[in-house]
Amino acid sequence: MVVGAAIAAAFAVTGCAPAGVDNASDYGAQPAANAVDVAATPTPGAEAEGDEAAAADAPELSDDETTGELNATKVKRMGETVQNEDGFVLYRFDDDKVKPEVVSNCNDDCAKVWPPAVVNKGEKPKLQGVDAALVGTVTREDGTLQLTIDKWPVYTYIGDKKAGQWKGQNVGQKWFVVTPEGKKNLTCLPAPSKAVAPPADGDEGDDSSGDAGGDSAGSDYSY
């Protein structure tokens, strides 16, 4: 009992809050008990059958729309993350499927809030600290090819306004920072929060959309 109290006290002193949040208590942050991935770990493998055929009809995207790099990068308080070429942290979604086949279940408004990391057919992102054997793609509902790490589709979050932020951690208790191995990074687990509201049509999403945990007209955008 004494040992448990000492560990809890150590966590309290260290603090646990996303980048850009100076006071952990303001964010309602709570350190995770451990960093073990509670989800079943899928076996790395090739793309789901039929993906190559579906990819033939994938729309061509501009360089601004695609993800050109996957970089393993450590950040303060969180530790291991995977970031794109602009330094934005990537996440995985508990409602996605990896068995019996890989499926991204974040579409429509969800995809406006959590933009999928996508590539064009035949393109591969530059990798730094991420094992190429773990990186694949899945064909999304709209025909685009989304990057996967250990079969888990990966996304950015529009609530992250700066490189290295991870305000999407534990949003809706379904969204988590992804590690270079495709696991959930539970090193720092803030209290569950709401996602920001989807941007209006024609709006790319600006600072007025608010931060994770903020109220959005009483709606719950946790998907």
Side-chain angles (χ1 to χ4, degrees):
M1 201 60 146
V2 173
V3 173
I7 293 174
F11 273 127
V13 171
T14 303
C16 172
V21 179
D22 296 325
N23 190 332
S25 63
D26 288 345
Y27 191 81
Q30 299 172 349
N34 57 60
V36 177
D37 189 357
V38 296
T41 303
T43 303
E47 297 174 355
E49 288 185 17
D51 259 11
E52 286 189 13
D57 298 323
E60 188 74 14
L61 303 173
S62 69
D63 289 344
D64 289 341
E65 296 174 294
T66 58
T67 298
E69 298 179 17
L70 296 178
N71 300 316
T73 306
K74 289 187 176 182
V75 299
K76 188 176 180 180
R77 298 190 180 97
M78 176 54 69
E80 284 191 332
T81 69
V82 178
Q83 300 180 9
N84 65 15
E85 63 273 21
D86 296 317
F88 283 89
V89 169
L90 299 179
Y91 301 85
R92 51 175 270 186
F93 182 33
D94 278 358
D95 283 356
D96 285 342
K97 290 173 55 180
V98 295
K99 293 181 179 180
E101 61 182 2
V102 180
V103 178
S104 169
N105 286 314
C106 179
N107 300 290
D108 303 319
D109 278 350
C110 177
K112 294 179 183 178
V113 175
W114 302 92
V118 293
V119 293
N120 284 314
K121 180 186 176 184
E123 292 182 349
K124 294 182 179 179
K126 295 179 182 178
L127 305 178
Q128 180 178 326
V130 180
D131 188 346
L134 295 179
V135 178
T137 59
V138 61
T139 302
R140 292 178 50 76
E141 191 177 82
D142 61 4
T144 56
L145 295 178
Q146 182 173 2
L147 290 169
T148 62
I149 301 178
D150 198 20
K151 295 190 176 182
W152 285 96
V154 291
Y155 310 77
T156 55
Y157 177 49
I158 66 169
D160 290 337
K161 302 302 181 183
K162 300 176 182 178
Q165 285 188 330
W166 40 275
K167 293 185 177 183
Q169 177 75 335
N170 204 28
V171 166
Q173 296 182 283
K174 296 180 179 181
W175 292 91
F176 300 93
V177 171
V178 70
T179 72
E181 295 75 35
K183 306 293 189 296
K184 301 176 189 177
N185 185 339
L186 303 181
T187 302
C188 180
L189 196 64
S193 60
K194 296 178 184 178
V196 298
D201 290 341
D203 182 3
E204 296 301 321
D206 54 26
D207 288 345
S208 63
S209 57
D211 292 332
D215 292 330
S216 300
S219 299
D220 183 0
Y221 297 105
S222 57
Y223 305 103

